[in-house]
Amino acid sequence: MTARDTHDGTRSGTGSGPDPGPGPGTESNGGDGGTGTEGSDGRNCRSYSADSPLGGHASTLQRTGRSLPFSDERHLQAHHWLVEEAYTLDAQRYEDWLALLTEDVHYIMPVRVTTARGAGYDSSPGMAHFDENKYSLSRRVARFATEHAWTEDPPSRLRHHVGNVRTFATADPAHLVVDSALLLYRSRGDVREPAVISAGREDLLRRAPGGEGWLLARRTVLADDSVLRTQNLAVFL
């Protein structure tokens, strides 16, 4: 399995971790006939996972129909989950954040590129700022607790702003597709200018075992910049 260089100086996708195996809720391509979310390059967000060496075990479930009404209990639960996750990431409680992820989670942030209108793509094939499974994410979190995490010592001051949330049903009632807009404000030290990252996210949420709460089974982060104006990505989006 090919390793990828990532923004914080670590290596992603080394394949050194245990194989997570097929997770619950994994479906074949096109199983529900949904259209899925498309980025400005026209690609279905799910296809980023499908094209990744680490995304083979991720669920391929897609959205069906129109977005749920804001009064729908499923939308309220999904929105609440995203807000609670944002506060968890702001506080850098990363072990708690890992507990919100499924064992077969795939977390990917493609590298965006600037192209002519009609080029048919706006992300760089095979390149990603993040391309992670549960094991590689856990290694990132473990590194923060060591003396080698100099990119976050002293730690950044973070604020995840989440908005424009839309929730969609899937062919499996135990899963929801959730779109959101994210604005991350990051300040570190006393001299440097703060960094701001704007992005859109598509998440797949899966009901936790026992039916209590939700877990993140898939996340695609599409940044609104081709060049990220931050020193590193030793944070999670």
Side-chain angles (χ1 to χ4, degrees):
M1 187 174 294
T2 302
R4 303 186 183 189
D5 291 315
T6 57
H7 224 77
D8 66 349
T10 61
R11 298 282 279 173
S12 171
T14 61
S16 59
D19 187 336
T26 302
E27 303 289 341
S28 61
N29 288 338
D32 62 0
T35 59
T37 294
E38 292 184 352
S40 56
D41 62 355
R43 290 190 62 185
N44 186 294
C45 277
R46 189 215 55 79
S47 71
Y48 290 108
S49 288
D51 293 343
S52 163
L54 293 183
H57 298 299
S59 172
T60 61
L61 279 169
Q62 301 177 41
R63 67 190 67 201
T64 58
R66 299 175 63 85
S67 60
L68 300 175
F70 289 170
S71 59
D72 190 290
E73 181 64 25
R74 293 166 293 177
H75 172 78
L76 295 174
Q77 291 180 12
H79 197 169
H80 180 254
W81 190 95
L82 290 179
V83 171
E84 290 296 327
E85 182 206 23
Y87 276 97
T88 299
L89 292 175
D90 288 346
Q92 301 181 37
R93 301 198 317 268
Y94 294 132
E95 291 288 350
D96 292 343
W97 181 70
L98 284 176
L100 300 175
L101 313 182
T102 66
E103 292 303 313
D104 62 335
V105 67
H106 187 230
Y107 181 105
I108 188 167
M109 183 179 178
V111 173
R112 308 299 293 276
V113 295
T114 301
T115 60
R117 188 185 302 275
Y121 67 96
D122 75 348
S123 62
S124 184
M127 295 186 66
H129 299 292
F130 289 105
D131 188 2
E132 314 287 344
N133 59 16
K134 182 69 173 285
Y135 176 79
S136 63
L137 288 170
S138 71
R139 294 305 85 203
R140 285 179 178 273
V141 169
R143 184 172 177 270
F144 286 140
T146 72
E147 62 184 8
H148 306 295
W150 51 268
T151 56
E152 277 298 294
D153 189 9
S156 299
R157 292 174 287 272
L158 305 174
R159 189 69 61 199
H160 292 71
H161 301 268
V162 179
N164 294 356
V165 178
R166 300 191 304 170
T167 307
F168 298 82
T170 70
D172 182 348
H175 291 78
L176 295 171
V177 170
V178 187
D179 291 339
S180 62
L182 174 73
L183 191 67
L184 172 66
Y185 180 92
R186 182 187 186 193
S187 173
R188 183 168 184 264
D190 302 316
V191 178
R192 294 186 181 277
E193 291 293 319
V196 176
I197 299 176
S198 173
R201 301 185 302 188
E202 185 199 74
D203 295 338
L204 180 70
L205 297 184
R206 178 184 301 154
R207 279 218 178 268
E212 292 295 327
W214 297 86
L215 299 174
L216 181 66
R218 191 180 71 226
R219 169 164 289 171
T220 302
V221 182
L222 294 176
D224 295 322
D225 288 300
S226 58
V227 178
L228 300 182
R229 293 164 178 81
T230 184
Q231 285 192 303
N232 57 64
L233 272 179
V235 294
F236 297 111
L237 300 170

